[in-house]
């Protein structure tokens, strides 16, 4: 399915498709759930299809606006503007209005640190903290339109920092705490951020991740950074540079308690978030204010059936888009109570998540298939130790879920009581695009479902022919409010990457999918060189660039091979330079090198050294063959190979390394 071939339904690229094809189970939500659900019939689908703009405008009206919009949508493909002329503030919508509307003393954030420490912030607490930190930013010269980088563990100050930026109209750029200093530096330099918000450290599996210490390496290479704010999470050693570095708690002491929210234009940027693409350079995806807030509010309410009485736990790190949309902006705009947890699911024991569900009475739980597969492997014993009866709805996101894991989730965690929403979307889409609605949709394990009301998706062939049923490329055929508005600083790449495969009004998702007779979409994985490792997006080119950056490496090809838990495992095929110094631990050295350049999530699981790499006659590396070797499959078509002996040699080497 790679190398630009359109995906075919008979191609078992990740071995998943054949499995999905035999899956014909259909599960209905329980009568009890159906009765109490927010959406109880399919009328919204019809209403949205009849007049999508009027439908989205209804949602937008659920936000508070300083100035109403003049026009719902201005669509000059591929550029969309939503709620044109309207003014609002995202932070006001997530915080102030709830304080004013009777939710002042309701828990906004229930947080648990990995060592077991806990904090609960009411909407009023959140309001106070956000106002004060917004004033801190202003006092340090951060203005509307400035970019602010955030590199933090999962602690309440992370959403506080984001909301404070939104309050003054600064654009936040959150970098996942698991990324390396170099990856952080790249993102800061691309966004030209003026300030960095970080912490002395965070806890992960009982050890300390020294964020500020790591960030110091980044800041040495980022001249745009004028100020660094540091939250004191523990008592972790670090260096302070006077004048530039400020302790969060110190600067907060003197901050004024109220900061007027900035009236932002609907199309003003709310944030950028970097994600992997097909080149070595990550893309800063741009999201704006009015449309994004409308899209995340609508999907939070309907997909998660969310009300003010719910305790919503989305386990994603805020460093990824799932955390932006469904830890912070969606649920807080809806006035929900969110749960945040700092650490690892197996610390100190493998029932940690279920302990949190029990202790906080979590009602709606949203996680990734990779986590579910790990829970499944650990066994029922752990969830069975805890009372999960508060749960009423479950969700998954980030990668295709295999029906076996789906059923396990349904039976063991949901105890056959909770519907499951399998939500397909991307950093670029900002909001959930394909899913079932929990109160009405029949669920088919492994299939995401239907486009959300107001969203239009289709299966297209390479030539742009629409397939009513069957497999092809997944496309989005109508603008949607939370859609990306660009790639930061690179308008050409935006058009080329997303709006050039067919026509300028059709968005190319880079995913393969199939549509069934009932209109359900089943995702088949990426069709570009982007890997989905444990639900995280990593570009093969990024890892390859990191590898060839090492002095001993001449050439590298990275592919994703099947992995029971992570979905995909990173396997690198490496050719060494003739004068390379060989050492027994070179494999370990190279793995570490990649982790240092990008982050631990990009560390290859295996490295295969080879004298040459299989290439076509035109010199293109044939990744498909490498994947076949990695997966231990019978080799695919090798007729276009320049030198077939290369593959045979590689395969032998792989088998030997596996035996070793
Ligand atoms: C994949 C995460 C199958 C897909 C929100 C997409 C999924 C990429 C699903 C985006 C799902 C996400 N079923 N595949 N329910 N959800 N994906 O940008 O390949 O980190 O293109 O956004 O994850 O990853 P991203």
């Amino acid at each position: 399915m790679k190398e630009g071939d359109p995906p075919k339904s008979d191609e078992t690229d990740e071995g998943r498709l054949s499995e999905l094809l035999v899956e014909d189970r259909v599960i209905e939500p329980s009568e009890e759930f159906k009765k109490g659900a927010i959406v109880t019939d399919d009328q919204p689908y019809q209403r949205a299809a009849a007049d999508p703009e009027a439908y989205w405008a209804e949602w937008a009206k659920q936000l508070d606006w300083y100035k109403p919009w003049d026009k719902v949508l201005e669509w000059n493909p591929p550029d969309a503007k939503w709620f044109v002329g309207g003014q609002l503030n995202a932070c006001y919508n997530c915080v102030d209005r709830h304080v004013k509307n009777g939710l002042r003393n309701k828990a906004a954030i229930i947080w648990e640190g990995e060592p077991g420490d806990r904090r609960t912030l009411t909407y009023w607490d959140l309001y106070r903290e956000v106002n004060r930190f917004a004033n801190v930013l202003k006092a340090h010269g951060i203005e509307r339109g400035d970019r602010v980088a955030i590199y933090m563990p999962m602690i309440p100050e992370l959403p506080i920092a984001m909301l404070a930026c939104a309050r003054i109209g600064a654009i936040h750029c959150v970098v996942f705490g698991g990324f390396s200093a170099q990856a952080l530096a790249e993102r800061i330099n691309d966004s030209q951020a003026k300030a960095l918000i970080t912490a002395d450290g965070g806890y992960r599996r009982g050890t300390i991740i020294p964020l500020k210490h790591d960030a110091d390496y980044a800041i040495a290479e980022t001249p745009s950074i004028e100020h660094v704010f540091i939250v004191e999470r523990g008592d972790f050693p670090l260096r302070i540079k006077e004048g530039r570095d400020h302790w969060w708690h110190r600067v907060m002491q003197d901050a004024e308690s109220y900061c007027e929210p900035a009236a932002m234009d609907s199309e003003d940027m709310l944030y950028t978030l970097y994600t992997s693409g097909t080149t070595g350079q990550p893309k800063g995806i741009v999201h704006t204010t009015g449309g994004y807030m409308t899209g995340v509010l609508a999907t939070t309410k309907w997909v998660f059936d969310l009300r003010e009485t719910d305790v919503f736990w989305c386990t994603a790190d805020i460093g990824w888009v799932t955390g932006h949309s469904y830890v912070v902006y969606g649920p807080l705009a809806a006035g929900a109570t969110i749960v945040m947890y700092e650490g690892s699911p197996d610390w100190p024991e493998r029932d940690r998540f279920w302990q949190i569900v029990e202790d906080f009475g979590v009602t709606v739980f949203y996680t990734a298939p990779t986590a579910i597969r790990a829970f499944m492997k650990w066994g029922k014993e752990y969830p069975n130790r805890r009372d999960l009866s508060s749960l009423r709805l479950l969700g998954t996101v980030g990668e295709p879920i295999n029906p076996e894991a789906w059923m396990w989730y349904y039976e063991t965690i949901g105890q056959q009581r909770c519907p499951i929403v399998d939500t397909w979307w991307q950093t670029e889409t900002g909001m959930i695009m394909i899913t079932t609605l929990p109160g009405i949709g029949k669920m088919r394990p492994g299939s995401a479902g239907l486009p959300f009301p107001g969203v239009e998706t289709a299966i297209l062939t390479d030539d742009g022919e629409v397939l009513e049923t069957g497999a092809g490329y997944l496309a989005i055929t109508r603008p949607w409010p939370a859609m990306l508005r660009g790639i930061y600083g690179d308008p050409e790449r935006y058009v080329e990457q997303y709006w050039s495969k067919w026509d300028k009004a059709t968005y190319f998702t880079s995913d393969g999918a199939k549509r069934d007779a009932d209109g359900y979409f089943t995702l088949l994985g990426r069709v570009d060189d982007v890997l989905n490792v444990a639900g995280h997006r990593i570009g093969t080119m990024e890892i390859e660039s990191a590898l060839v950056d090492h002095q001993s490496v001449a050439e590298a090809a990275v592919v994703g091979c099947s992995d029971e838990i992570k979905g995909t495992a990173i396997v690198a095929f490496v050719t060494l330079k003739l004068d390379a110094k060989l050492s027994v631990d070179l494999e370990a050295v190279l793995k570490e090198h990649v982790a240092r350049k990008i982050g631990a999530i990009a560390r290859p699981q295996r490295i295969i050294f080879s004298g040459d790499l299989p290439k076509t006659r035109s010199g293109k590396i044939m990744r498909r063959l490498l994947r076949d070797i990695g997966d231990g499959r019978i080799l695919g078509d090798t007729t276009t190979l320049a030198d077939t002996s290369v593959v045979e040699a590689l395969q032998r080497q792989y088998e030997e390394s596996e035996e070793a």
Side-chain angles (χ1 to χ4, degrees), residues 275 320-322 366 369 396-401 422-428 434 448 509-511 523-526 532 535-537:
T275 190
W320 307 105
V321 75
T322 307
Y366 188 37
T396 77
V397 60
E399 44 179 333
I401 181 163
D422 174 357
T423 62
W424 177 88
W425 59 294
Q426 306 177 306
T427 304
E428 292 88 342
I434 299 179
T509 62
S510 296
D511 271 324
L523 277 297
L524 304 173
R526 302 281 303 195
N532 196 323
H536 298 148
R537 258 170 87 165

Side-chain angles (χ1 to χ4, degrees), residues 63 65 96 107 238 290 292 329 378 385 413 458 507 541 568 579 581 586 625 634:
L63 294 166
W65 297 75
D96 300 44
L238 52 79
Y292 176 80
Y329 289 109
W378 298 341
R385 281 183 189 173
I413 305 303
Y507 173 88
M541 276 287 284
T568 307
D579 59 353
K581 279 196 220 66
L586 190 58
L625 287 178
I634 296 165

Side-chain angles (χ1 to χ4, degrees), residues 498-516:
Y498 301 110
W499 308 94
S500 297
K501 182 150 180 73
W502 301 288
D503 56 78
K504 281 202 163 55
T506 307
Y507 173 88
F508 176 43
T509 62
S510 296
D511 271 324
K514 70 183 176 105
R515 187 170 185 267
D516 292 299

Side-chain angles (χ1 to χ4, degrees), residues 300-563:
T300 299
K301 283 198 171 172
W302 277 5
V303 177
F304 300 111
D305 196 55
L306 208 71
R307 310 116 205 273
E308 286 170 3
T309 46
D310 275 307
V311 177
F312 181 55
W313 186 18
C314 164
T315 67
D317 191 289
I318 293 176
W320 307 105
V321 75
T322 307
H324 280 61
S325 297
Y326 300 108
V327 177
V328 183
Y329 289 109
L332 293 180
T337 295
I338 61 166
V339 169
M340 271 179 80
Y341 167 57
E342 179 187 31
S344 169
D346 56 357
W347 191 266
E349 284 202 65
R350 289 170 166 178
D351 66 345
R352 186 64 185 266
F353 273 21
W354 318 123
Q355 165 252 307
I356 292 172
V357 168
E358 177 181 278
D359 284 0
F360 300 139
V362 172
T363 57
V364 182
F365 178 76
Y366 188 37
T367 197
T370 192
I372 299 166
R373 288 191 295 264
F375 300 144
M376 212 170 132
K377 192 171 169 207
W378 298 341
K380 288 183 180 167
E381 173 202 342
Y382 298 100
N384 287 351
R385 281 183 189 173
R386 301 289 178 171
D387 177 5
L388 304 182
S389 60
S390 59
L391 291 172
R392 63 180 198 89
L393 175 60
L394 304 173
T396 77
V397 60
E399 44 179 333
I401 181 163
N402 44 316
E404 196 196 352
W406 195 104
M407 287 310 298
W408 188 89
Y409 195 31
Y410 184 70
E411 285 166 359
T412 309
I413 305 303
Q415 295 158 354
Q416 303 193 13
R417 180 184 69 242
C418 309
I420 296 178
V421 285
D422 174 357
T423 62
W424 177 88
W425 59 294
Q426 306 177 306
T427 304
E428 292 88 342
T429 70
M431 61 184 243
I432 293 168
M433 300 295 278
I434 299 179
T435 181
T436 51
L437 292 179
I440 57 167
K442 59 180 168 90
M443 296 166 273
R444 287 178 30 197
S447 182
L450 299 172
F452 186 79
V455 170
E456 202 179 84
T457 55
I459 302 294
L460 265 60
T461 64
D462 214 18
D463 304 328
E465 187 197 334
V466 176
L467 299 180
E468 280 307 310
T469 57
Y473 296 114
L474 179 65
I476 306 173
T477 47
R478 183 199 284 288
W480 65 103
M483 65 195 277
L484 75 167
R485 300 299 198 270
I487 294 175
Y488 193 78
D490 200 346
E492 275 157 36
R493 189 171 174 198
Y494 170 66
V495 177
E496 185 204 326
Q497 171 74 52
Y498 301 110
W499 308 94
S500 297
K501 182 150 180 73
W502 301 288
D503 56 78
K504 281 202 163 55
T506 307
Y507 173 88
F508 176 43
T509 62
S510 296
D511 271 324
K514 70 183 176 105
R515 187 170 185 267
D516 292 299
D518 56 3
Y520 272 42
F521 287 83
T522 298
L523 277 297
L524 304 173
R526 302 281 303 195
V527 296
D528 58 1
D529 290 325
V530 170
L531 305 180
N532 196 323
V533 181
H536 298 148
R537 258 170 87 165
I538 302 282
T540 50
M541 276 287 284
E542 284 171 72
I543 306 170
E544 287 165 8
S545 322
L547 283 166
V548 295
D549 171 78
H550 190 274
Q551 58 198 17
S552 301
V553 176
E555 197 171 32
V558 167
V559 296
C561 299
S562 316
D563 182 274

Side-chain angles (χ1 to χ4, degrees), residues 133 136 140 229 246-255:
F133 195 66
V136 167
H140 289 81
F229 301 97
H246 317 276
W247 283 108
W248 173 291
H249 57 276
R250 298 249 172 86
V251 283
M252 284 288 265
Q253 269 171 2
D254 313 322

